[in-house]
């Protein structure tokens, strides 16, 4: 069985889908591995590191992928020469034609971000592994942009108050942001629409703020995600948090609803009510942003308030993010290798395979992503 690790074609993606550590583990499982030259460079892994772990180095994507049973990537590759099983973050929503192209090229493509959130698949959960890093990085970025210190400091020259940080959306990224902000000494508050988050917020030493009505009590889907809230709920939520935001030094927004644009939680008026020098880091920028004034991919200043809409925060800590992502892939691909024959043996009845496989036998098989007629 041959595994190919391809370099990312998007130059703004510094992560890589395998590390020397996971290369060694795959070889231990009986696989041969080829890594495209330079694939790990931006994550701090050299071709020599991969070669020392036992990988062959391929000069080009085509050479590396030749006769590969499995191709590992961070992002969805474009059709072209890609055949065999492709395991990556496929970003399928709104990209039906790209999926069709992959299917047409003969790829059996697995979307890691659709992995069910069940106990057996926790080690394969790329959304969690990357969101955790992004939540941490959001606080580090906010601290760097903020012109004051985060912890209270009592010095002979005077006392400096602790910064107030408000985290909106308490999933994996939000929880890590709370923990990081607390470690840096800020006064932390947080909000979410899922009731289960209240206890999680409080257990991290932060204060929970939310409209806790009947809709709130039913806002969590069976899959553990948030539902899109009614216009009435959003208005009540905006009123409650509006006054709160005006008193904050840093707001970090992480709110997402699967398959939907990010909910707008911070209005232009609320931004203008913040003190000059305040900072907003919008982790939802890639999905349109939680703040009305976020410019996805940019940092803008509005009336002295900095709004950071950077993409791919996990990629800014590429080495750690890649190490965790590579382990997620290893854990999944390992379930597809036969212990007896050491060959690729996909179990089509496995719920992990069913949930993540989007293309097979030349067609897009997930009805949600069928190309529109
Ligand atoms: P996400 O990235 O989909 O969304 C981030 C947060 O935004 C969520 O907490 C969501 O409730 C919140 N949100 C949505 N709309 C909002 C609004 N209008 N106002 C405020 N907040 C809003 O979420 P995630 O990080 O993927 O986590 C979702 C859940 O899945 C969490 O409960 C998490 O702990 C759970 N989870 C479970 C597993 C597992 O294996 N069992 C693994 C990872 C995560």
């Amino acid at each position: 069985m041959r595994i190919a690790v391809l370099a990312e074609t998007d130059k703004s993606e510094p992560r890589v889908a395998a590390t020397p550590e996971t290369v060694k583990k795959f070889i231990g499982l009986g696989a041969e591995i080829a890594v495209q030259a330079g694939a790990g460079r931006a994550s701090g892994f050299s071709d020599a590191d991969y070669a020392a772990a036992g990988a062959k180095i391929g000069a080009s994507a085509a050479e590396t992928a030749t006769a590969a049973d499995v191709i590992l990537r961070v992002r969805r590759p474009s059709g072209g020469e890609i055949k065999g099983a492709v395991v990556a973050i496929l970003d399928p929503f709104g990209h039906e034609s790209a999926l069709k192209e992959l299917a047409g090229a003969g790829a059996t493509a697995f979307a890691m971000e659709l992995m069910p959130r069940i106990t057996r698949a926790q080690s394969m959960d790329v959304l969690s592994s990357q969101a955790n890093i992004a939540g941490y990085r959001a606080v580090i970025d906010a601290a760097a942009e903020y012109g004051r210190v985060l912890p209270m400091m009592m010095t002979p020259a005077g006392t400096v108050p602790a910064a107030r940080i408000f985290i909106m959306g308490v999933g994996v990224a939000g929880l890590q942001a709370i923990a990081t902000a607390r470690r840096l000494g800020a006064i932390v508050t947080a909000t979410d629409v899922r009731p289960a988050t209240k206890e999680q917020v409080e257990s991290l030493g932060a204060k929970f703020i939310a409209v806790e009505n009947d809709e709130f009590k039913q806002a969590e889907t069976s899959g553990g995600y948030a539902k899109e809230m009614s216009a009435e709920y959003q208005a009540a939520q905006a009123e409650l948090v509006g006054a709160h935001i005006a008193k904050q030094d840093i707001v970090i927004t992480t709110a997402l609803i699967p398959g939907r644009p990010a909910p707008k939680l911070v209005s232009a008026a609320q931004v203008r009510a913040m003190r000059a020098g305040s900072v907003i880091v919008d982790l939802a920028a890639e999905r349109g942003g939680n703040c009305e004034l976020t410019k996805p991919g940019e940092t803008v200043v509005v009336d002295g308030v900095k709004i950071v809409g950077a993409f791919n925060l996990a990629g800014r800590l590429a080495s750690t993010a890649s190490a965790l992502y590579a382990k997620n892939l290893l854990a999944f691909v390992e379930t597809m290798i036969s212990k007896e024959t050491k060959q690729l043996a996909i179990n089509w009845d496995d719920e992990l395979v069913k949930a993540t496989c989007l293309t097979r036998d030349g067609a897009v098989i997930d009805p949600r992503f069928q190309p529109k007629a």
Side-chain angles (χ1 to χ4, degrees):
M1 135 143 195
R2 284 183 57 109
I3 298 177
V5 179
L6 298 190
E8 297 303 306
T9 34
D10 178 347
K11 290 299 161 221
S12 67
E13 179 51 78
R15 291 172 293 177
V16 61
T19 59
E21 186 190 342
T22 63
V23 163
K24 251 191 218 150
K25 295 246 167 74
F26 276 123
I27 292 170
L29 293 171
E32 277 174 46
I33 284 233
V35 176
Q36 188 180 341
R41 193 178 299 130
S43 287
F45 306 111
S46 69
D47 294 348
D49 296 335
Y50 287 110
K56 290 201 182 71
I57 305 300
S60 64
E63 186 189 315
T64 310
T66 306
D69 301 292
V70 177
I71 287 170
L72 306 182
R73 281 259 307 205
V74 177
R75 293 181 187 246
R76 167 176 20 86
S78 56
E81 68 275 34
I82 303 289
K83 289 187 189 58
V86 174
V87 185
I89 297 171
L90 295 182
D91 189 18
F93 292 98
H95 297 115
E96 290 78 9
S97 60
L99 279 187
K100 187 172 172 228
E101 189 191 307
L102 261 185
T108 306
F110 296 89
M112 286 302 289
E113 70 266 54
L114 299 180
M115 194 62 72
R117 284 181 148 177
I118 55 174
T119 309
R120 177 161 82 96
Q122 267 181 3
S123 58
M124 309 166 198
D125 185 347
V126 299
L127 292 181
S128 291
S129 73
Q130 305 304 294
N132 182 42
I133 305 290
Y136 165 83
R137 182 69 200 215
V139 177
I140 301 301
D141 279 358
E145 295 289 354
Y146 186 52
R148 303 164 192 252
V149 301
L150 297 196
M152 184 178 88
M153 288 185 183
M154 295 169 83
T155 81
T159 298
V160 181
R164 293 177 183 277
I165 303 191
F166 183 38
I167 315 287
M168 304 185 76
V170 189
V172 177
L175 284 172
Q176 183 57 256
I178 294 173
T180 305
R182 290 269 302 150
R183 283 183 210 119
L184 290 173
I187 298 169
V188 185
T189 51
T191 188
D192 200 294
V193 291
R194 290 181 302 112
T197 57
K198 181 175 181 163
E199 199 185 311
Q200 296 167 354
V201 167
E202 288 169 353
S203 74
L204 288 170
K207 190 168 167 231
F208 189 68
I209 291 175
V211 178
E212 300 182 42
N213 63 8
D214 284 345
E215 188 178 349
F216 171 82
K217 293 188 183 107
Q218 284 145 33
E220 181 156 332
T221 65
S222 55
Y225 287 105
K227 292 182 184 157
E228 188 159 31
M229 304 305 275
S230 68
E232 295 76 46
Y233 185 92
Q234 292 202 29
Q237 187 185 27
E239 193 180 319
L240 177 76
V241 302
H244 185 65
I245 288 174
K247 290 181 248 149
Q248 300 306 304
D249 301 303
I250 293 172
V251 175
I252 294 175
T253 67
T254 77
L256 291 174
I257 302 154
R260 309 272 318 147
K264 289 281 179 271
L265 301 180
V266 183
S267 69
Q270 286 169 345
V271 173
R272 294 206 167 87
M274 292 180 80
R275 181 171 72 158
S278 304
V279 176
I280 297 173
V281 176
D282 192 341
L283 270 186
E286 257 155 280
R287 299 259 295 277
N290 291 138
C291 172
E292 254 174 34
L293 298 179
T294 296
K295 283 235 161 55
E298 292 176 35
T299 295
V300 293
V301 182
V302 177
D303 290 355
V305 178
K306 250 184 219 169
I307 307 169
V308 180
F311 291 155
N312 196 3
L313 258 64
R316 306 257 291 279
L317 294 165
S319 196
T320 310
S322 298
L324 298 179
Y325 178 74
K327 282 206 181 145
N328 294 145
L329 295 195
L330 169 69
F332 181 49
V333 174
E334 190 174 355
T335 68
M336 304 202 276
I337 304 177
S338 158
K339 295 224 167 34
E340 289 78 44
T341 65
K342 316 264 189 224
Q343 296 301 314
L344 186 66
I346 298 172
N347 172 7
W348 296 102
D349 293 326
D350 185 342
E351 62 180 315
L352 307 186
V353 168
K354 283 186 186 161
T356 55
C357 185
L358 300 187
T359 70
R360 189 183 171 190
D361 299 332
V364 176
I365 58 169
D366 189 311
R368 287 175 297 175
F369 310 115
Q370 298 294 355
K372 306 265 179 304

